[in-house]
Amino acid sequence: MKAALRRLRGLLRKEFLQIWRDPSALAIAFLLPAALLLLFGYGVSLDARRVPLALVIQHPDGFAASFTARFARSPFFRPRTVLSIQAAERALAARQVGGIVWLPGDFTRRAMASGNSPIGVIVDGVDANNARIVEGYVEQVWANWLASRARAAGSTAALPLDIEPRVRFNPAVSSRDYLVPGLIGVIMTLTGALLTALVIAREWERGTMEALMVTRVRVREILLAKLLPYFLLGLGGMAASVAIAVTLFGVPLRGSLLVLAGASSLFLLAALGMGLLISGVARNQFVAGQIAIITTFLPAFILSGFVFDIRSMPAAVQLLTRLVAARYLVAILQSLFLAGNVWPVILPNAAALAVMAAIFLGLARIIARKRLD
């Protein structure tokens, strides 16, 4: 037992010295998550703001101007007046505007006669999500204008319902508050796998792994010595990512830091287990890096629920997402950041991460035994 502890202590000292002398591991643990978080945090957004909008007013007057002025005051639109619907459609086809609001010639007459008047709305549907958002914004402007006209006339708006929306967990309806926590999970999937896959592949290339094989060091001691230092580096990278999310992007953290640390630890064990598994298959840094990106980052980006809602996917794809560890971490992070300690969300996802960590580490141990013994 004492001899095993001495060997493990020596291996850990070797790993920490290697990390200190070769800063690539530190770059993967800290610089890569920060760079990706800044890039995606500022570059990825589902909010439609300052959408260029073409206003076609066939008979300009004060009544029509009171309606179109609301678009100029809205933070969601950047309106401009176009003389004809043909010119507006050409601008839409050229992607110069994202939508068209068309007030026909009898707009004022029909509005004064019946209190309501139809308007034409044409939206660029190339981006279906953006089209739905723009359509909703236009409808909201229209409903607010009708309500204000009704109040000015001393009556009620010609609307079937009086809706008072209340948004829970994300009152500002900011896509950044939703995306950044999930983005942390996606990024840590890549960095966790790369930390072990590249470093161990580098040892195979340099021949230092063969030198360990001829010593009395056991396979489990080598794996444990590889796991512990990079586990600590991964926790450091996770802490830095959370700090960036809270301080720079202003995402609220409503849950417990202890729960966050526990979930992150389970996830890192699974991610590092994937890295050990990759390193057991690929002994070349380039091959290990490519495998890590293809098998960890891409599935996490597409199938984790970070951007695309899993419930809207086909049943077969939903079943496939259960094999992606990032799916469970993303669900936990989004809950902890936006809603707090929601245990019906946290506990089953944490249990899934624990099972995946055990599976990946067990497979890594089996492959290592076949390759190193």
mmCIF file with all atom_site columns, all heavy atoms in Angstrom, residues 62-88:
data_model
loop_
_atom_site.group_PDB
_atom_site.id
_atom_site.type_symbol
_atom_site.label_atom_id
_atom_site.label_alt_id
_atom_site.label_comp_id
_atom_site.label_asym_id
_atom_site.label_entity_id
_atom_site.label_seq_id
_atom_site.pdbx_PDB_ins_code
_atom_site.Cartn_x
_atom_site.Cartn_y
_atom_site.Cartn_z
_atom_site.occupancy
_atom_site.B_iso_or_equiv
_atom_site.pdbx_formal_charge
_atom_site.auth_seq_id
_atom_site.auth_comp_id
_atom_site.auth_asym_id
_atom_site.auth_atom_id
_atom_site.pdbx_PDB_model_num
ATOM 1   N N   . GLY A 1 62 ? -51.913 61.726 -41.225 1.00 0.00 ? 62 GLY A N   1
ATOM 2   C CA  . GLY A 1 62 ? -51.614 61.694 -39.797 1.00 0.00 ? 62 GLY A CA  1
ATOM 3   C C   . GLY A 1 62 ? -52.008 60.400 -39.131 1.00 0.00 ? 62 GLY A C   1
ATOM 4   O O   . GLY A 1 62 ? -51.337 59.938 -38.193 1.00 0.00 ? 62 GLY A O   1
ATOM 5   N N   . PHE A 1 63 ? -53.106 59.782 -39.592 1.00 0.00 ? 63 PHE A N   1
ATOM 6   C CA  . PHE A 1 63 ? -53.563 58.536 -38.988 1.00 0.00 ? 63 PHE A CA  1
ATOM 7   C C   . PHE A 1 63 ? -52.549 57.414 -39.225 1.00 0.00 ? 63 PHE A C   1
ATOM 8   O O   . PHE A 1 63 ? -52.197 56.664 -38.322 1.00 0.00 ? 63 PHE A O   1
ATOM 9   C CB  . PHE A 1 63 ? -54.922 58.166 -39.576 1.00 0.00 ? 63 PHE A CB  1
ATOM 10  C CG  . PHE A 1 63 ? -55.695 57.194 -38.743 1.00 0.00 ? 63 PHE A CG  1
ATOM 11  C CD1 . PHE A 1 63 ? -56.375 57.605 -37.614 1.00 0.00 ? 63 PHE A CD1 1
ATOM 12  C CD2 . PHE A 1 63 ? -55.739 55.854 -39.100 1.00 0.00 ? 63 PHE A CD2 1
ATOM 13  C CE1 . PHE A 1 63 ? -57.090 56.704 -36.841 1.00 0.00 ? 63 PHE A CE1 1
ATOM 14  C CE2 . PHE A 1 63 ? -56.447 54.945 -38.335 1.00 0.00 ? 63 PHE A CE2 1
ATOM 15  C CZ  . PHE A 1 63 ? -57.126 55.367 -37.206 1.00 0.00 ? 63 PHE A CZ  1
ATOM 16  N N   . ALA A 1 64 ? -52.088 57.313 -40.465 1.00 0.00 ? 64 ALA A N   1
ATOM 17  C CA  . ALA A 1 64 ? -51.084 56.289 -40.784 1.00 0.00 ? 64 ALA A CA  1
ATOM 18  C C   . ALA A 1 64 ? -49.762 56.586 -40.090 1.00 0.00 ? 64 ALA A C   1
ATOM 19  O O   . ALA A 1 64 ? -49.062 55.674 -39.648 1.00 0.00 ? 64 ALA A O   1
ATOM 20  C CB  . ALA A 1 64 ? -50.886 56.209 -42.295 1.00 0.00 ? 64 ALA A CB  1
ATOM 21  N N   . ALA A 1 65 ? -49.431 57.882 -39.979 1.00 0.00 ? 65 ALA A N   1
ATOM 22  C CA  . ALA A 1 65 ? -48.169 58.243 -39.329 1.00 0.00 ? 65 ALA A CA  1
ATOM 23  C C   . ALA A 1 65 ? -48.157 57.869 -37.855 1.00 0.00 ? 65 ALA A C   1
ATOM 24  O O   . ALA A 1 65 ? -47.116 57.504 -37.299 1.00 0.00 ? 65 ALA A O   1
ATOM 25  C CB  . ALA A 1 65 ? -47.917 59.739 -39.491 1.00 0.00 ? 65 ALA A CB  1
ATOM 26  N N   . SER A 1 66 ? -49.330 57.931 -37.183 1.00 0.00 ? 66 SER A N   1
ATOM 27  C CA  . SER A 1 66 ? -49.382 57.563 -35.766 1.00 0.00 ? 66 SER A CA  1
ATOM 28  C C   . SER A 1 66 ? -49.085 56.075 -35.565 1.00 0.00 ? 66 SER A C   1
ATOM 29  O O   . SER A 1 66 ? -48.559 55.677 -34.525 1.00 0.00 ? 66 SER A O   1
ATOM 30  C CB  . SER A 1 66 ? -50.753 57.899 -35.186 1.00 0.00 ? 66 SER A CB  1
ATOM 31  O OG  . SER A 1 66 ? -51.760 57.049 -35.735 1.00 0.00 ? 66 SER A OG  1
ATOM 32  N N   . PHE A 1 67 ? -49.438 55.273 -36.587 1.00 0.00 ? 67 PHE A N   1
ATOM 33  C CA  . PHE A 1 67 ? -49.141 53.852 -36.501 1.00 0.00 ? 67 PHE A CA  1
ATOM 34  C C   . PHE A 1 67 ? -47.685 53.559 -36.830 1.00 0.00 ? 67 PHE A C   1
ATOM 35  O O   . PHE A 1 67 ? -46.981 52.869 -36.089 1.00 0.00 ? 67 PHE A O   1
ATOM 36  C CB  . PHE A 1 67 ? -50.071 53.083 -37.444 1.00 0.00 ? 67 PHE A CB  1
ATOM 37  C CG  . PHE A 1 67 ? -49.689 51.633 -37.608 1.00 0.00 ? 67 PHE A CG  1
ATOM 38  C CD1 . PHE A 1 67 ? -49.666 50.773 -36.536 1.00 0.00 ? 67 PHE A CD1 1
ATOM 39  C CD2 . PHE A 1 67 ? -49.348 51.134 -38.859 1.00 0.00 ? 67 PHE A CD2 1
ATOM 40  C CE1 . PHE A 1 67 ? -49.312 49.441 -36.686 1.00 0.00 ? 67 PHE A CE1 1
ATOM 41  C CE2 . PHE A 1 67 ? -48.999 49.813 -39.032 1.00 0.00 ? 67 PHE A CE2 1
ATOM 42  C CZ  . PHE A 1 67 ? -48.977 48.962 -37.940 1.00 0.00 ? 67 PHE A CZ  1
ATOM 43  N N   . THR A 1 68 ? -47.195 54.078 -37.930 1.00 0.00 ? 68 THR A N   1
ATOM 44  C CA  . THR A 1 68 ? -45.824 53.782 -38.350 1.00 0.00 ? 68 THR A CA  1
ATOM 45  C C   . THR A 1 68 ? -44.789 54.381 -37.405 1.00 0.00 ? 68 THR A C   1
ATOM 46  O O   . THR A 1 68 ? -43.653 53.893 -37.332 1.00 0.00 ? 68 THR A O   1
ATOM 47  C CB  . THR A 1 68 ? -45.585 54.310 -39.769 1.00 0.00 ? 68 THR A CB  1
ATOM 48  O OG1 . THR A 1 68 ? -45.876 55.714 -39.809 1.00 0.00 ? 68 THR A OG1 1
ATOM 49  C CG2 . THR A 1 68 ? -46.474 53.580 -40.772 1.00 0.00 ? 68 THR A CG2 1
ATOM 50  N N   . ALA A 1 69 ? -45.160 55.426 -36.648 1.00 0.00 ? 69 ALA A N   1
ATOM 51  C CA  . ALA A 1 69 ? -44.207 56.018 -35.701 1.00 0.00 ? 69 ALA A CA  1
ATOM 52  C C   . ALA A 1 69 ? -43.830 55.030 -34.614 1.00 0.00 ? 69 ALA A C   1
ATOM 53  O O   . ALA A 1 69 ? -42.744 55.133 -34.022 1.00 0.00 ? 69 ALA A O   1
ATOM 54  C CB  . ALA A 1 69 ? -44.795 57.285 -35.084 1.00 0.00 ? 69 ALA A CB  1
ATOM 55  N N   . ARG A 1 70 ? -44.694 54.071 -34.342 1.00 0.00 ? 70 ARG A N   1
ATOM 56  C CA  . ARG A 1 70 ? -44.382 53.078 -33.303 1.00 0.00 ? 70 ARG A CA  1
ATOM 57  C C   . ARG A 1 70 ? -43.224 52.177 -33.718 1.00 0.00 ? 70 ARG A C   1
ATOM 58  O O   . ARG A 1 70 ? -42.493 51.670 -32.857 1.00 0.00 ? 70 ARG A O   1
ATOM 59  C CB  . ARG A 1 70 ? -45.619 52.239 -32.992 1.00 0.00 ? 70 ARG A CB  1
ATOM 60  C CG  . ARG A 1 70 ? -46.686 53.037 -32.245 1.00 0.00 ? 70 ARG A CG  1
ATOM 61  C CD  . ARG A 1 70 ? -47.881 52.191 -31.884 1.00 0.00 ? 70 ARG A CD  1
ATOM 62  N NE  . ARG A 1 70 ? -48.756 52.939 -30.999 1.00 0.00 ? 70 ARG A NE  1
ATOM 63  C CZ  . ARG A 1 70 ? -48.691 52.902 -29.660 1.00 0.00 ? 70 ARG A CZ  1
ATOM 64  N NH1 . ARG A 1 70 ? -47.772 52.149 -29.081 1.00 0.00 ? 70 ARG A NH1 1
ATOM 65  N NH2 . ARG A 1 70 ? -49.521 53.603 -28.920 1.00 0.00 ? 70 ARG A NH2 1
ATOM 66  N N   . PHE A 1 71 ? -43.061 51.955 -34.995 1.00 0.00 ? 71 PHE A N   1
ATOM 67  C CA  . PHE A 1 71 ? -41.926 51.152 -35.451 1.00 0.00 ? 71 PHE A CA  1
ATOM 68  C C   . PHE A 1 71 ? -40.616 51.908 -35.232 1.00 0.00 ? 71 PHE A C   1
ATOM 69  O O   . PHE A 1 71 ? -39.591 51.299 -34.901 1.00 0.00 ? 71 PHE A O   1
ATOM 70  C CB  . PHE A 1 71 ? -42.094 50.801 -36.929 1.00 0.00 ? 71 PHE A CB  1
ATOM 71  C CG  . PHE A 1 71 ? -43.190 49.821 -37.196 1.00 0.00 ? 71 PHE A CG  1
ATOM 72  C CD1 . PHE A 1 71 ? -44.424 50.243 -37.678 1.00 0.00 ? 71 PHE A CD1 1
ATOM 73  C CD2 . PHE A 1 71 ? -43.010 48.471 -36.957 1.00 0.00 ? 71 PHE A CD2 1
ATOM 74  C CE1 . PHE A 1 71 ? -45.438 49.341 -37.926 1.00 0.00 ? 71 PHE A CE1 1
ATOM 75  C CE2 . PHE A 1 71 ? -44.014 47.554 -37.200 1.00 0.00 ? 71 PHE A CE2 1
ATOM 76  C CZ  . PHE A 1 71 ? -45.243 47.994 -37.682 1.00 0.00 ? 71 PHE A CZ  1
ATOM 77  N N   . ALA A 1 72 ? -40.641 53.223 -35.424 1.00 0.00 ? 72 ALA A N   1
ATOM 78  C CA  . ALA A 1 72 ? -39.428 54.019 -35.224 1.00 0.00 ? 72 ALA A CA  1
ATOM 79  C C   . ALA A 1 72 ? -39.024 54.036 -33.762 1.00 0.00 ? 72 ALA A C   1
ATOM 80  O O   . ALA A 1 72 ? -37.829 54.116 -33.438 1.00 0.00 ? 72 ALA A O   1
ATOM 81  C CB  . ALA A 1 72 ? -39.657 55.442 -35.733 1.00 0.00 ? 72 ALA A CB  1
ATOM 82  N N   . ARG A 1 73 ? -40.008 53.953 -32.841 1.00 0.00 ? 73 ARG A N   1
ATOM 83  C CA  . ARG A 1 73 ? -39.695 53.975 -31.414 1.00 0.00 ? 73 ARG A CA  1
ATOM 84  C C   . ARG A 1 73 ? -39.366 52.592 -30.856 1.00 0.00 ? 73 ARG A C   1
ATOM 85  O O   . ARG A 1 73 ? -38.933 52.474 -29.713 1.00 0.00 ? 73 ARG A O   1
ATOM 86  C CB  . ARG A 1 73 ? -40.871 54.570 -30.640 1.00 0.00 ? 73 ARG A CB  1
ATOM 87  C CG  . ARG A 1 73 ? -41.114 56.043 -30.929 1.00 0.00 ? 73 ARG A CG  1
ATOM 88  C CD  . ARG A 1 73 ? -42.050 56.658 -29.901 1.00 0.00 ? 73 ARG A CD  1
ATOM 89  N NE  . ARG A 1 73 ? -43.376 56.045 -29.939 1.00 0.00 ? 73 ARG A NE  1
ATOM 90  C CZ  . ARG A 1 73 ? -44.396 56.548 -30.634 1.00 0.00 ? 73 ARG A CZ  1
ATOM 91  N NH1 . ARG A 1 73 ? -44.216 57.647 -31.357 1.00 0.00 ? 73 ARG A NH1 1
ATOM 92  N NH2 . ARG A 1 73 ? -45.574 55.954 -30.611 1.00 0.00 ? 73 ARG A NH2 1
ATOM 93  N N   . SER A 1 74 ? -39.568 51.569 -31.647 1.00 0.00 ? 74 SER A N   1
ATOM 94  C CA  . SER A 1 74 ? -39.328 50.207 -31.174 1.00 0.00 ? 74 SER A CA  1
ATOM 95  C C   . SER A 1 74 ? -37.849 49.852 -31.286 1.00 0.00 ? 74 SER A C   1
ATOM 96  O O   . SER A 1 74 ? -37.206 50.155 -32.300 1.00 0.00 ? 74 SER A O   1
ATOM 97  C CB  . SER A 1 74 ? -40.158 49.214 -31.997 1.00 0.00 ? 74 SER A CB  1
ATOM 98  O OG  . SER A 1 74 ? -39.795 47.879 -31.682 1.00 0.00 ? 74 SER A OG  1
ATOM 99  N N   . PRO A 1 75 ? -37.263 49.185 -30.284 1.00 0.00 ? 75 PRO A N   1
ATOM 100 C CA  . PRO A 1 75 ? -35.862 48.754 -30.387 1.00 0.00 ? 75 PRO A CA  1
ATOM 101 C C   . PRO A 1 75 ? -35.670 47.576 -31.325 1.00 0.00 ? 75 PRO A C   1
ATOM 102 O O   . PRO A 1 75 ? -34.536 47.202 -31.631 1.00 0.00 ? 75 PRO A O   1
ATOM 103 C CB  . PRO A 1 75 ? -35.516 48.366 -28.945 1.00 0.00 ? 75 PRO A CB  1
ATOM 104 C CG  . PRO A 1 75 ? -36.824 47.950 -28.353 1.00 0.00 ? 75 PRO A CG  1
ATOM 105 C CD  . PRO A 1 75 ? -37.862 48.826 -28.990 1.00 0.00 ? 75 PRO A CD  1
ATOM 106 N N   . PHE A 1 76 ? -36.774 46.994 -31.791 1.00 0.00 ? 76 PHE A N   1
ATOM 107 C CA  . PHE A 1 76 ? -36.678 45.796 -32.614 1.00 0.00 ? 76 PHE A CA  1
ATOM 108 C C   . PHE A 1 76 ? -36.619 46.097 -34.104 1.00 0.00 ? 76 PHE A C   1
ATOM 109 O O   . PHE A 1 76 ? -36.300 45.200 -34.891 1.00 0.00 ? 76 PHE A O   1
ATOM 110 C CB  . PHE A 1 76 ? -37.870 44.873 -32.335 1.00 0.00 ? 76 PHE A CB  1
ATOM 111 C CG  . PHE A 1 76 ? -38.023 44.504 -30.892 1.00 0.00 ? 76 PHE A CG  1
ATOM 112 C CD1 . PHE A 1 76 ? -39.095 44.973 -30.156 1.00 0.00 ? 76 PHE A CD1 1
ATOM 113 C CD2 . PHE A 1 76 ? -37.082 43.716 -30.260 1.00 0.00 ? 76 PHE A CD2 1
ATOM 114 C CE1 . PHE A 1 76 ? -39.242 44.644 -28.823 1.00 0.00 ? 76 PHE A CE1 1
ATOM 115 C CE2 . PHE A 1 76 ? -37.210 43.376 -28.937 1.00 0.00 ? 76 PHE A CE2 1
ATOM 116 C CZ  . PHE A 1 76 ? -38.300 43.840 -28.205 1.00 0.00 ? 76 PHE A CZ  1
ATOM 117 N N   . PHE A 1 77 ? -36.931 47.332 -34.503 1.00 0.00 ? 77 PHE A N   1
ATOM 118 C CA  . PHE A 1 77 ? -37.003 47.641 -35.929 1.00 0.00 ? 77 PHE A CA  1
ATOM 119 C C   . PHE A 1 77 ? -36.157 48.863 -36.288 1.00 0.00 ? 77 PHE A C   1
ATOM 120 O O   . PHE A 1 77 ? -35.917 49.743 -35.452 1.00 0.00 ? 77 PHE A O   1
ATOM 121 C CB  . PHE A 1 77 ? -38.462 47.904 -36.351 1.00 0.00 ? 77 PHE A CB  1
ATOM 122 C CG  . PHE A 1 77 ? -39.357 46.710 -36.215 1.00 0.00 ? 77 PHE A CG  1
ATOM 123 C CD1 . PHE A 1 77 ? -40.303 46.645 -35.204 1.00 0.00 ? 77 PHE A CD1 1
ATOM 124 C CD2 . PHE A 1 77 ? -39.237 45.645 -37.084 1.00 0.00 ? 77 PHE A CD2 1
ATOM 125 C CE1 . PHE A 1 77 ? -41.126 45.546 -35.069 1.00 0.00 ? 77 PHE A CE1 1
ATOM 126 C CE2 . PHE A 1 77 ? -40.057 44.539 -36.959 1.00 0.00 ? 77 PHE A CE2 1
ATOM 127 C CZ  . PHE A 1 77 ? -41.005 44.483 -35.949 1.00 0.00 ? 77 PHE A CZ  1
ATOM 128 N N   . ARG A 1 78 ? -35.717 48.862 -37.523 1.00 0.00 ? 78 ARG A N   1
ATOM 129 C CA  . ARG A 1 78 ? -35.072 50.024 -38.130 1.00 0.00 ? 78 ARG A CA  1
ATOM 130 C C   . ARG A 1 78 ? -35.836 50.330 -39.410 1.00 0.00 ? 78 ARG A C   1
ATOM 131 O O   . ARG A 1 78 ? -35.446 49.906 -40.502 1.00 0.00 ? 78 ARG A O   1
ATOM 132 C CB  . ARG A 1 78 ? -33.596 49.726 -38.403 1.00 0.00 ? 78 ARG A CB  1
ATOM 133 C CG  . ARG A 1 78 ? -32.784 50.973 -38.725 1.00 0.00 ? 78 ARG A CG  1
ATOM 134 C CD  . ARG A 1 78 ? -31.299 50.685 -38.814 1.00 0.00 ? 78 ARG A CD  1
ATOM 135 N NE  . ARG A 1 78 ? -30.968 49.878 -39.973 1.00 0.00 ? 78 ARG A NE  1
ATOM 136 C CZ  . ARG A 1 78 ? -30.521 48.629 -39.921 1.00 0.00 ? 78 ARG A CZ  1
ATOM 137 N NH1 . ARG A 1 78 ? -30.370 48.038 -38.757 1.00 0.00 ? 78 ARG A NH1 1
ATOM 138 N NH2 . ARG A 1 78 ? -30.213 47.958 -41.017 1.00 0.00 ? 78 ARG A NH2 1
ATOM 139 N N   . PRO A 1 79 ? -36.974 51.067 -39.290 1.00 0.00 ? 79 PRO A N   1
ATOM 140 C CA  . PRO A 1 79 ? -37.862 51.236 -40.447 1.00 0.00 ? 79 PRO A CA  1
ATOM 141 C C   . PRO A 1 79 ? -37.342 52.265 -41.435 1.00 0.00 ? 79 PRO A C   1
ATOM 142 O O   . PRO A 1 79 ? -36.601 53.186 -41.095 1.00 0.00 ? 79 PRO A O   1
ATOM 143 C CB  . PRO A 1 79 ? -39.167 51.703 -39.796 1.00 0.00 ? 79 PRO A CB  1
ATOM 144 C CG  . PRO A 1 79 ? -38.720 52.425 -38.569 1.00 0.00 ? 79 PRO A CG  1
ATOM 145 C CD  . PRO A 1 79 ? -37.499 51.706 -38.084 1.00 0.00 ? 79 PRO A CD  1
ATOM 146 N N   . ARG A 1 80 ? -37.760 52.086 -42.678 1.00 0.00 ? 80 ARG A N   1
ATOM 147 C CA  . ARG A 1 80 ? -37.515 53.073 -43.714 1.00 0.00 ? 80 ARG A CA  1
ATOM 148 C C   . ARG A 1 80 ? -38.712 53.056 -44.674 1.00 0.00 ? 80 ARG A C   1
ATOM 149 O O   . ARG A 1 80 ? -39.311 52.002 -44.924 1.00 0.00 ? 80 ARG A O   1
ATOM 150 C CB  . ARG A 1 80 ? -36.229 52.795 -44.479 1.00 0.00 ? 80 ARG A CB  1
ATOM 151 C CG  . ARG A 1 80 ? -36.259 51.547 -45.333 1.00 0.00 ? 80 ARG A CG  1
ATOM 152 C CD  . ARG A 1 80 ? -34.974 51.398 -46.122 1.00 0.00 ? 80 ARG A CD  1
ATOM 153 N NE  . ARG A 1 80 ? -35.047 50.292 -47.061 1.00 0.00 ? 80 ARG A NE  1
ATOM 154 C CZ  . ARG A 1 80 ? -34.069 49.977 -47.897 1.00 0.00 ? 80 ARG A CZ  1
ATOM 155 N NH1 . ARG A 1 80 ? -32.958 50.684 -47.891 1.00 0.00 ? 80 ARG A NH1 1
ATOM 156 N NH2 . ARG A 1 80 ? -34.199 48.973 -48.727 1.00 0.00 ? 80 ARG A NH2 1
ATOM 157 N N   . THR A 1 81 ? -39.078 54.221 -45.155 1.00 0.00 ? 81 THR A N   1
ATOM 158 C CA  . THR A 1 81 ? -40.232 54.344 -46.035 1.00 0.00 ? 81 THR A CA  1
ATOM 159 C C   . THR A 1 81 ? -39.835 54.037 -47.471 1.00 0.00 ? 81 THR A C   1
ATOM 160 O O   . THR A 1 81 ? -38.831 54.546 -47.974 1.00 0.00 ? 81 THR A O   1
ATOM 161 C CB  . THR A 1 81 ? -40.825 55.764 -45.950 1.00 0.00 ? 81 THR A CB  1
ATOM 162 O OG1 . THR A 1 81 ? -41.189 56.034 -44.588 1.00 0.00 ? 81 THR A OG1 1
ATOM 163 C CG2 . THR A 1 81 ? -42.055 55.892 -46.828 1.00 0.00 ? 81 THR A CG2 1
ATOM 164 N N   . VAL A 1 82 ? -40.644 53.202 -48.127 1.00 0.00 ? 82 VAL A N   1
ATOM 165 C CA  . VAL A 1 82 ? -40.435 52.823 -49.521 1.00 0.00 ? 82 VAL A CA  1
ATOM 166 C C   . VAL A 1 82 ? -41.680 53.257 -50.294 1.00 0.00 ? 82 VAL A C   1
ATOM 167 O O   . VAL A 1 82 ? -42.813 53.105 -49.819 1.00 0.00 ? 82 VAL A O   1
ATOM 168 C CB  . VAL A 1 82 ? -40.200 51.312 -49.667 1.00 0.00 ? 82 VAL A CB  1
ATOM 169 C CG1 . VAL A 1 82 ? -39.967 50.937 -51.123 1.00 0.00 ? 82 VAL A CG1 1
ATOM 170 C CG2 . VAL A 1 82 ? -39.007 50.885 -48.822 1.00 0.00 ? 82 VAL A CG2 1
ATOM 171 N N   . LEU A 1 83 ? -41.478 53.770 -51.494 1.00 0.00 ? 83 LEU A N   1
ATOM 172 C CA  . LEU A 1 83 ? -42.579 54.395 -52.228 1.00 0.00 ? 83 LEU A CA  1
ATOM 173 C C   . LEU A 1 83 ? -43.587 53.389 -52.766 1.00 0.00 ? 83 LEU A C   1
ATOM 174 O O   . LEU A 1 83 ? -44.779 53.695 -52.857 1.00 0.00 ? 83 LEU A O   1
ATOM 175 C CB  . LEU A 1 83 ? -42.026 55.239 -53.384 1.00 0.00 ? 83 LEU A CB  1
ATOM 176 C CG  . LEU A 1 83 ? -41.153 56.436 -52.956 1.00 0.00 ? 83 LEU A CG  1
ATOM 177 C CD1 . LEU A 1 83 ? -40.643 57.175 -54.174 1.00 0.00 ? 83 LEU A CD1 1
ATOM 178 C CD2 . LEU A 1 83 ? -41.935 57.366 -52.028 1.00 0.00 ? 83 LEU A CD2 1
ATOM 179 N N   . SER A 1 84 ? -43.169 52.200 -53.150 1.00 0.00 ? 84 SER A N   1
ATOM 180 C CA  . SER A 1 84 ? -44.090 51.237 -53.757 1.00 0.00 ? 84 SER A CA  1
ATOM 181 C C   . SER A 1 84 ? -43.830 49.850 -53.208 1.00 0.00 ? 84 SER A C   1
ATOM 182 O O   . SER A 1 84 ? -42.728 49.541 -52.735 1.00 0.00 ? 84 SER A O   1
ATOM 183 C CB  . SER A 1 84 ? -43.939 51.232 -55.281 1.00 0.00 ? 84 SER A CB  1
ATOM 184 O OG  . SER A 1 84 ? -42.667 50.738 -55.653 1.00 0.00 ? 84 SER A OG  1
ATOM 185 N N   . ILE A 1 85 ? -44.862 48.993 -53.310 1.00 0.00 ? 85 ILE A N   1
ATOM 186 C CA  . ILE A 1 85 ? -44.715 47.619 -52.845 1.00 0.00 ? 85 ILE A CA  1
ATOM 187 C C   . ILE A 1 85 ? -43.738 46.852 -53.726 1.00 0.00 ? 85 ILE A C   1
ATOM 188 O O   . ILE A 1 85 ? -43.028 45.952 -53.250 1.00 0.00 ? 85 ILE A O   1
ATOM 189 C CB  . ILE A 1 85 ? -46.100 46.928 -52.809 1.00 0.00 ? 85 ILE A CB  1
ATOM 190 C CG1 . ILE A 1 85 ? -45.992 45.540 -52.191 1.00 0.00 ? 85 ILE A CG1 1
ATOM 191 C CG2 . ILE A 1 85 ? -46.697 46.874 -54.196 1.00 0.00 ? 85 ILE A CG2 1
ATOM 192 C CD1 . ILE A 1 85 ? -45.555 45.529 -50.758 1.00 0.00 ? 85 ILE A CD1 1
ATOM 193 N N   . GLN A 1 86 ? -43.650 47.212 -55.014 1.00 0.00 ? 86 GLN A N   1
ATOM 194 C CA  . GLN A 1 86 ? -42.703 46.540 -55.902 1.00 0.00 ? 86 GLN A CA  1
ATOM 195 C C   . GLN A 1 86 ? -41.259 46.819 -55.460 1.00 0.00 ? 86 GLN A C   1
ATOM 196 O O   . GLN A 1 86 ? -40.426 45.910 -55.433 1.00 0.00 ? 86 GLN A O   1
ATOM 197 C CB  . GLN A 1 86 ? -42.916 46.991 -57.351 1.00 0.00 ? 86 GLN A CB  1
ATOM 198 C CG  . GLN A 1 86 ? -44.228 46.545 -57.963 1.00 0.00 ? 86 GLN A CG  1
ATOM 199 C CD  . GLN A 1 86 ? -45.411 47.408 -57.560 1.00 0.00 ? 86 GLN A CD  1
ATOM 200 O OE1 . GLN A 1 86 ? -45.223 48.473 -56.948 1.00 0.00 ? 86 GLN A OE1 1
ATOM 201 N NE2 . GLN A 1 86 ? -46.613 46.968 -57.903 1.00 0.00 ? 86 GLN A NE2 1
ATOM 202 N N   . ALA A 1 87 ? -40.970 48.070 -55.120 1.00 0.00 ? 87 ALA A N   1
ATOM 203 C CA  . ALA A 1 87 ? -39.625 48.408 -54.652 1.00 0.00 ? 87 ALA A CA  1
ATOM 204 C C   . ALA A 1 87 ? -39.327 47.717 -53.330 1.00 0.00 ? 87 ALA A C   1
ATOM 205 O O   . ALA A 1 87 ? -38.196 47.263 -53.082 1.00 0.00 ? 87 ALA A O   1
ATOM 206 C CB  . ALA A 1 87 ? -39.492 49.921 -54.509 1.00 0.00 ? 87 ALA A CB  1
ATOM 207 N N   . ALA A 1 88 ? -40.335 47.613 -52.475 1.00 0.00 ? 88 ALA A N   1
ATOM 208 C CA  . ALA A 1 88 ? -40.132 46.936 -51.188 1.00 0.00 ? 88 ALA A CA  1
ATOM 209 C C   . ALA A 1 88 ? -39.851 45.452 -51.383 1.00 0.00 ? 88 ALA A C   1
ATOM 210 O O   . ALA A 1 88 ? -38.988 44.876 -50.707 1.00 0.00 ? 88 ALA A O   1
ATOM 211 C CB  . ALA A 1 88 ? -41.360 47.139 -50.309 1.00 0.00 ? 88 ALA A CB  1
#
